Amino acid sequence: MRSEMMTVKEGSWVLLRKVVLDVGERAEGLPEDTAKVPIVMWIKGFLLEDREIGEIARVRTRMNRVEEGVLEEENPATSVDYGGFVPEILEIGKVREMLNG
């Protein structure tokens, strides 16, 4: 999220943040660390009216739904992270060689 005030224009591709369930609304019996955080939905779509970063905004998604949330970012990048290095994955090649003889 950017710190300066910035107007994002209608029609821009944006990312919204929407709290689905707040901490007090979560189910009982959850692990303590899980219960301490809300359930958040991230929504990408086309902005329906000019808004500032941090304001409540509405978007039309690619599936033609209208959703509302806090405007977080304009032109969000797609990033995928499968986590840190897992040394066991290096062993897969050795096992494959053993199986293929």
Side-chain angles (χ1 to χ4, degrees), residues 55-66:
E55 288 185 329
I56 300 294
R58 293 182 319 123
V59 297
R60 182 170 307 278
T61 69
R62 297 283 304 218
M63 299 305 296
N64 208 31
R65 292 187 340 262
V66 174

Side-chain angles (χ1 to χ4, degrees), residues 27-40:
E28 292 181 25
L30 293 172
E32 186 178 339
D33 58 339
T34 302
K36 289 181 182 179
V37 296
I39 294 179
V40 175

Side-chain angles (χ1 to χ4, degrees), residues 4-46:
E4 72 275 2
M5 294 301 289
M6 180 182 134
T7 300
V8 181
K9 298 295 184 186
E10 176 183 342
S12 297
W13 182 248
V14 297
L15 176 68
L16 302 184
R17 179 180 189 272
K18 180 178 184 176
V19 175
V20 178
L21 285 177
D22 218 336
V23 174
E25 301 171 324
R26 306 263 335 236
E28 292 181 25
L30 293 172
E32 186 178 339
D33 58 339
T34 302
K36 289 181 182 179
V37 296
I39 294 179
V40 175
M41 177 169 63
W42 297 95
I43 308 157
K44 291 181 182 178
F46 297 99

